Amino acid sequence: MASWYPDIEMEETGVGARGRGNGNNTTGARGCIRTRQYTGTSYRDSGEIKFCISEYKSDAFQMMLLMKSNQMLTDVKLEVGREIFHGHKIVLAAASPYFKAMFTGGLRECEMDTVKLQGVCPTVLAHLLCFMYTGEIVINEMLVCQLLPAATMLQMNHVIDACCTFLE
Amino acid sequence: MASWYPDIEMEETGVGARGRGNGNNTTGARGCIRTRQYTGTSYRDSGEIKFCISEYKSDAFQMMLLMKSNQMLTDVKLEVGREIFHGHKIVLAAASPYFKAMFTGGLRECEMDTVKLQGVCPTVLAHLLCFMYTGEIVINEMLVCQLLPAATMLQMNHVIDACCTFLE
């Protein structure tokens, strides 16, 4: 039965929805399964099923991190002091409104493949880039004093919140 | 107290870990909070905290989808029949080993900004691209017959699994 498939969160639509789902679904071995009926009028009687793959985004970010590590498809170099960090503009822009404005706002950085960053030290940028590709950041007392202003400059609200939480 | 902060899954390290966490943490208003002690010997007495922001990847994908819709930072056009679909090579490569090989394997497509795709119809490609940026796909009886071979060609295992589940 489709509705018992692990790792997939499903929304079932339509009156009969091809006979699947009885409203008594449980979670699968590894993932979350949810079945809903009538999520949209337009789907009525269509027997459509919406599959929401909960693992997909993590898998995709893991692959993007791997490609960053191997400098595959990277299209920007961030120069900080004497160090160079490679990255993907789309990932940086998705994580930071500062980078989004830099890469899409018609500034000369849009066309540049190397961007000099001021006001961030290499260690802090390494942590921030790691966050951009993993959603995880390790904070300690030494780091937080530099991380908070850098995250503020890059407008990375999740990291700002994490720093403030650390300091509370 | 940091350990009560919503939306952040936290791992606390170090013996004292700056006095935070008592092992009795609960979930916050919207997110999941977990506190662990002694996750690594190297962290002992360091008072480091690892923040895992569960919402980050969804937020980032939402932004990437928005940028795709507005053709911001898109670096590839997929030509299918008379239709053109814009996308980001890194996102397509992260979602599909077929595209990863195409864009990074030294083929002439690496340097091309327009790629002609055979064996996929525009409707199916639209669904697959939507999945690549959202992790969600709507399947119906009409679609599944074309979606399964296309997902197989693009080696998109999550979609293949969803199609097989639909057909079971």
Side-chain angles (χ1 to χ4, degrees):
Chain A
M1 286 273 287
S3 53
W4 296 90
Y5 194 82
D7 297 324
I8 294 177
E9 179 180 299
M10 301 197 306
E11 288 184 10
E12 193 158 353
T13 60
V15 175
R18 304 177 67 246
R20 294 200 188 93
N22 55 9
N24 297 319
N25 298 298
T26 59
T27 53
R30 288 181 294 157
C32 171
I33 291 173
R34 191 177 62 218
T35 302
R36 285 192 209 146
Q37 291 190 335
Y38 313 122
T39 54
T41 309
S42 60
Y43 291 157
R44 281 197 179 191
D45 299 319
S46 68
E48 284 181 339
I49 299 183
K50 182 178 174 185
F51 291 82
C52 306
I53 315 294
S54 55
E55 293 176 348
Y56 167 71
K57 289 170 189 168
S58 286
D59 291 351
F61 262 102
Q62 208 168 345
M63 185 56 72
M64 290 191 277
L65 177 64
L66 186 70
M67 286 194 277
K68 176 187 177 297
S69 304
N70 294 320
Q71 293 178 28
M72 293 167 96
L73 295 176
T74 51
D75 54 359
V76 65
K77 284 175 260 188
L78 302 175
E79 195 180 328
V80 183
R82 290 181 183 177
E83 295 200 33
I84 299 281
F85 297 86
H86 296 259
H88 304 96
K89 283 184 178 177
I90 178 69
V91 178
L92 274 56
S96 154
Y98 176 94
F99 281 128
K100 181 168 180 278
M102 178 184 281
F103 298 141
T104 67
L107 304 176
R108 63 194 174 90
E109 282 86 352
C110 292
E111 302 303 321
M112 292 163 64
D113 67 345
T114 302
V115 174
K116 272 196 181 187
L117 276 188
Q118 308 288 344
V120 185
C121 76
T123 307
V124 168
L125 186 62
H127 277 76
L128 289 172
L129 278 172
C130 178
F131 178 83
M132 290 179 189
Y133 284 82
T134 63
E136 298 179 3
I137 195 158
V138 175
I139 304 181
N140 61 37
E141 290 194 16
M142 287 273 286
L143 186 66
V144 72
C145 305
Q146 294 179 295
L147 197 56
L148 183 52
T152 304
M153 183 182 94
L154 299 180
Q155 301 168 275
M156 294 173 65
N157 289 334
H158 286 308
V159 179
I160 295 169
D161 288 347
C163 288
C164 292
T165 301
F166 184 89
L167 291 169
E168 277 170 12
Chain B
M1 286 272 288
S3 54
W4 296 90
Y5 192 83
D7 296 326
I8 294 177
E9 179 180 297
M10 300 196 307
E11 289 185 8
E12 194 158 354
T13 60
V15 175
R18 302 177 67 245
R20 293 201 190 94
N22 55 8
N24 296 317
N25 297 298
T26 60
T27 54
R30 287 182 294 157
C32 171
I33 290 172
R34 190 176 64 218
T35 302
R36 284 192 210 146
Q37 292 189 334
Y38 315 120
T39 54
T41 309
S42 60
Y43 290 159
R44 281 200 178 189
D45 299 319
S46 68
E48 284 180 340
I49 298 182
K50 182 179 176 185
F51 291 82
C52 306
I53 315 294
S54 56
E55 293 176 349
Y56 167 73
K57 288 169 190 168
S58 286
D59 291 351
F61 262 103
Q62 207 168 347
M63 184 57 71
M64 288 190 279
L65 177 63
L66 186 70
M67 286 192 277
K68 176 188 176 297
S69 304
N70 295 320
Q71 293 178 28
M72 294 167 94
L73 295 176
T74 51
D75 54 1
V76 67
K77 284 174 260 186
L78 302 176
E79 195 180 327
V80 183
R82 291 180 183 177
E83 294 201 33
I84 299 282
F85 296 87
H86 296 259
H88 303 96
K89 282 184 178 178
I90 177 70
V91 178
L92 274 56
S96 154
Y98 176 94
F99 281 128
K100 182 168 179 278
M102 178 185 282
F103 298 142
T104 67
L107 302 176
R108 61 194 175 92
E109 282 85 351
C110 293
E111 303 303 321
M112 292 163 65
D113 66 346
T114 302
V115 174
K116 272 196 181 187
L117 276 189
Q118 308 288 343
V120 185
C121 76
T123 307
V124 168
L125 185 62
H127 276 77
L128 290 172
L129 278 172
C130 177
F131 178 82
M132 290 179 189
Y133 284 81
T134 64
E136 297 179 3
I137 195 156
V138 175
I139 304 181
N140 61 38
E141 290 194 18
M142 288 273 285
L143 186 64
V144 72
C145 306
Q146 293 178 296
L147 197 56
L148 182 52
T152 304
M153 182 183 93
L154 298 180
Q155 300 167 276
M156 295 174 64
N157 289 335
H158 286 308
V159 179
I160 295 169
D161 287 348
C163 287
C164 292
T165 302
F166 183 90
L167 291 169
E168 276 170 12

